[in-house]
Amino acid sequence: DHIKYFSRYHGLNRQDAVFFNQSDLICDMAKKEDFIIMGRCADAILTNNGIPHISIYITAPIEQRIQRAIEVNSGLDRKKARHFLKKLDKKHAHYYNFYTGRSWGRPHNYDLCINSSRLGIEVTAEKLVEMIRELEKAMSPVNFDL
């Protein structure tokens, strides 16, 4: 089945073919079940295909992100963590901007934007669940079960 999808985009460069295959998969899954996807331009893909969804952007100041990167990647020093995060942000922004025509990280692209450093990771997650449930009510009859 995946070979059929891949040949559908024959002639495109590999990155474009992968993007369009992922887009098809995201749309197919969203029509069948609730799920969470991180990145992959899913907010724009679902919007462009008229598929109801809740889009969230989570951020934190670079210093907190560096500290978190060091905590979860043993052996990573401050300089390497900063370089890694800057490179990763640039890569994410380029990918998102290229495939969506939007600017990555702009609040108007999302339903919810939150700075996770204010409340910490666990409390941020709890608050996001609460906000998603409120958005579910506002979006009814669409129902998302968490």
Side-chain angles (χ1 to χ4, degrees), residues 9-23:
Y9 298 110
H10 179 72
L12 293 179
N13 68 48
R14 181 179 171 177
Q15 184 175 334
D16 290 347
V18 168
F19 174 80
F20 289 114
N21 276 304
Q22 286 176 160
S23 298

Side-chain angles (χ1 to χ4, degrees), residues 62-63 66 78-87:
I62 190 67
E63 290 305 318
I66 289 169
R78 192 163 212 68
K79 185 177 177 180
K80 286 180 184 176
R82 179 181 297 278
H83 177 74
F84 170 76
L85 291 171
K86 293 282 188 180
K87 188 174 176 181

